[in-house]
Amino acid sequence: MTVVVLGAGIAGLVAGCELTRLGYNVRIVEADGRVGGRIFTHHFQCECSDSYGELGAMRIPSSHKSTLRYIEEVNLQDRLIPFRGLFTEPDGIVDFSGHVSRFRNAREAARRVGAIHDHRLAYLSDIRVVVHAVCPPHLRHYYDTNVEPLVARILESLRPGDIDEPIGSLSVFRRLAPFLRQVDNEFKVVVDDILLELSEEIYTLRGGLSLLPESLALRLGSRITRNVRVTGINCTDEVAEIAMRDEGGRASVLKADRIICTIPFSILRHIFITGLSERQIQRVQALPYSPASKTLLHCRTRFWERRGIRGGGSVNDRWSRQIFYPDSKSIKSSCTCGVLLASYAIGGDALQLGNLEEQERNSVITAELARFHPEILSPDAVLSWKTMDWNEHRFSRGAYASAWVDKHIPFESLHDLTPERLLTFAGEHCSTLGGWIEGAIKSALTSVEDVAGARL
């Protein structure tokens, strides 16, 4: 039995490995010249081994057991290191409303004048810091307009002695998260995603997360065909047909007993498919994807360490949004350079940056970064730049299917999109964990179970 897997992102690679292990004849078709999809580690030219950064996925929560299992399976467990995100470095910077402060003093950056004082107002400010640090513009506005008044009303009803003195913005958010999930039904998905993104145990891979898909691809070898685009899928007969076109424009057709399609719906909706019902086509057409962009700077020195910052992140309320520093504890080489994730923006913030020409975008990021890292203005501070705008990437057209886009919640299952049992879908967009490696892997395992008729 021949199974063709469309896409060599993490979902396609996992599906391919599992089907191969079960004895199926597997072919994987990938449009890009590399594997991994939206797992994309970029390496700058440098003699040291630490000059890299993540242009795509960059973290693995400890609760994501399937991802950790595959890391162990390809013998990468020794490369697991802690990922230090926002709020993990007290000396990280918060630049909100024109006010620059350290995370340890971030409460002042979001303090609002109100009827309540003491610990209650501090709690309100702390929650706002976390929401504004993580969320894209439309959700920041939604929180300010719809959710915060409800939180303030409850806090106003409490006596000053009813709550303890807050010890930090993230601690307050975690403590009040159950309450935040209840005050507004539409905001509870956002609360859950924030808790996952800022969970206490998060990991990454020393050497880059691309090591995971690259290791899986090595196992599949010649079963993967790269630089070939899918132009059509026909599932109306007993054997499915995939129309393809290579880099040179040469067309070909591949036949399969079953297809597992991991192509993002943002791309799939532009591919002609026969065998899908009108309802199914509408679901493919309607799934929204969040824009996201990242800009890496290969810096001559790790100048941020002179300010006491040795990892973690900073954040501003401007276009560049989140900044992440390499963890000094994980740096093995003696090289003084460092790769700074100078901008990680999602939603409307990413669209704003994406509308700028490269030189203008670099100037905007530099100016925003210089508000608290003036060293960046030195003529020789930056050796090289690298930006990924996932909304404009020709094989993605968006970063991930997100519960944060148009209040959409990713599908728990898309198995009802299987026409005549020939086509099965997988990918992070087929999971309740949209945007996470874990979601893509779990959906791949489900698709393999659908093909094999047995639970893995």
Side-chain angles (χ1 to χ4, degrees):
M1 181 176 181
T2 298
V3 182
V4 174
V5 180
L6 306 181
I10 192 66
L13 293 169
V14 167
C17 285
E18 293 297 339
L19 287 167
T20 300
R21 192 178 352 233
L22 292 170
Y24 288 87
N25 178 28
V26 176
R27 293 282 303 276
I28 300 179
V29 178
E30 170 55 48
D32 208 342
R34 65 174 187 86
V35 299
R38 285 159 284 174
I39 302 176
F40 189 2
T41 305
H42 177 75
H43 292 264
F44 290 97
Q45 290 186 351
C46 187
E47 294 181 357
C48 76
S49 59
D50 293 315
S51 296
Y52 67 88
E54 303 293 358
L55 289 171
M58 63 181 179
R59 49 201 164 194
I60 306 166
S62 61
S63 60
H64 287 184
K65 303 302 183 183
S66 295
T67 307
L68 294 173
R69 175 165 67 87
Y70 280 97
I71 285 174
E72 183 174 359
E73 189 170 301
V74 296
N75 298 315
L76 290 173
Q77 65 271 25
D78 291 343
R79 289 181 172 269
L80 277 172
I81 56 176
F83 176 89
R84 296 182 61 202
L86 298 177
F87 301 97
T88 62
E89 171 57 70
D91 284 319
I93 309 293
V94 178
D95 182 3
F96 284 169
S97 303
H99 178 75
V100 176
S101 64
R102 302 282 185 167
F103 266 119
R104 61 167 57 94
N105 302 316
R107 188 176 301 141
E108 298 301 321
R111 187 176 292 278
R112 306 184 76 176
V113 177
I116 56 176
H117 302 284
D118 51 66
H119 299 342
R120 295 171 295 175
L121 183 56
Y123 269 55
L124 195 63
S125 299
D126 282 345
I127 295 170
R128 192 165 191 264
V129 166
V130 174
V131 171
H132 277 243
V134 177
C135 293
H138 73 282
L139 284 178
R140 301 199 296 268
H141 176 74
Y142 185 83
Y143 172 81
D144 293 346
T145 305
N146 297 82
V147 182
E148 188 176 65
L150 300 175
V151 178
R153 195 173 306 149
I154 297 298
L155 289 173
E156 287 173 1
S157 68
L158 300 176
R159 294 173 300 179
D162 287 341
I163 52 178
D164 300 328
E165 182 178 358
I167 58 175
S169 300
L170 187 53
S171 296
V172 167
F173 188 88
R174 287 171 176 160
R175 181 174 179 179
L176 295 186
F179 167 71
L180 291 171
R181 294 183 80 257
Q182 296 176 14
V183 295
D184 186 280
N185 189 55
E186 294 176 349
F187 199 70
K188 65 181 181 181
V189 177
V190 178
V191 174
D192 290 342
D193 276 3
I194 292 176
L195 288 174
L196 186 57
E197 182 175 327
L198 302 179
S199 59
E200 295 183 11
E201 288 187 82
I202 301 183
Y203 301 98
T204 189
L205 287 177
R206 187 177 67 252
L209 280 179
S210 283
L211 289 171
L212 175 58
E214 288 167 0
S215 298
L216 293 171
L218 283 175
R219 294 188 168 191
L220 291 160
S222 61
R223 294 180 180 87
I224 303 175
T225 302
R226 310 185 193 207
N227 297 309
V228 174
R229 294 184 298 108
V230 174
T231 58
I233 303 172
N234 180 9
C235 294
T236 55
D237 297 322
E238 291 185 3
V239 177
E241 295 183 336
I242 303 104
M244 306 180 297
R245 193 173 297 276
D246 65 17
E247 283 184 305
R250 292 179 292 272
S252 61
V253 175
L254 183 62
K255 294 186 178 182
D257 298 298
R258 290 293 298 270
I259 298 173
I260 294 179
C261 180
T262 72
I263 298 172
F265 282 6
S266 51
I267 300 298
L268 189 65
R269 62 185 56 142
H270 301 294
I271 296 174
F272 183 73
I273 307 177
T274 58
L276 289 178
S277 69
E278 184 62 31
R279 172 178 169 272
Q280 293 164 340
I281 292 174
Q282 288 177 357
R283 293 180 73 176
V284 172
Q285 293 286 341
L287 183 68
Y289 279 72
S290 174
S293 70
K294 286 187 173 183
T295 294
L296 299 172
L297 303 188
H298 185 201
C299 300
R300 188 176 299 277
T301 65
R302 298 188 293 275
F303 52 78
W304 49 88
E305 292 186 355
R306 295 196 291 270
R307 293 175 173 263
I309 301 174
R310 299 188 173 275
S314 294
V315 66
N316 62 44
D317 57 4
R318 300 164 189 268
W319 289 357
S320 57
R321 291 294 286 151
Q322 297 179 359
I323 299 94
F324 291 91
Y325 310 91
D327 189 348
S328 59
K329 292 182 180 179
S330 67
I331 295 175
K332 300 298 182 182
S333 70
S334 58
C335 186
T336 60
C337 74
V339 176
L340 181 68
L341 177 49
S343 172
Y344 175 29
I346 61 176
D349 296 312
L351 289 176
Q352 295 275 25
L353 285 174
N355 288 332
L356 303 178
E357 297 294 332
E358 181 180 5
Q359 185 173 354
E360 186 180 4
R361 182 190 64 239
N362 292 352
S363 296
V364 166
I365 292 173
T366 299
E368 295 182 3
L369 192 61
R371 286 178 50 82
F372 45 90
H373 287 312
E375 301 93 335
I376 197 70
L377 298 176
S378 174
D380 61 348
V382 179
L383 299 171
S384 183
W385 294 70
K386 181 64 178 180
T387 291
M388 172 59 75
D389 181 356
W390 287 105
N391 207 49
E392 295 298 322
H393 191 272
R394 60 179 179 153
F395 301 133
S396 177
R397 299 299 178 190
Y400 48 85
S402 174
W404 293 3
V405 180
D406 297 334
K407 302 175 184 176
H408 171 82
I409 299 177
F411 309 133
E412 182 174 359
S413 172
L414 286 179
H415 282 192
D416 60 341
L417 284 180
T418 304
E420 298 184 15
R421 308 295 297 171
L422 296 181
L423 179 61
T424 300
F425 293 90
E428 53 86 22
H429 51 284
C430 303
S431 165
T432 53
L433 287 170
W436 292 96
I437 298 173
E438 182 81 355
I441 289 177
K442 284 192 170 183
S443 74
L445 296 176
T446 301
S447 70
V448 171
E449 291 172 1
D450 182 56
V451 170
R455 186 171 181 81
L456 295 178

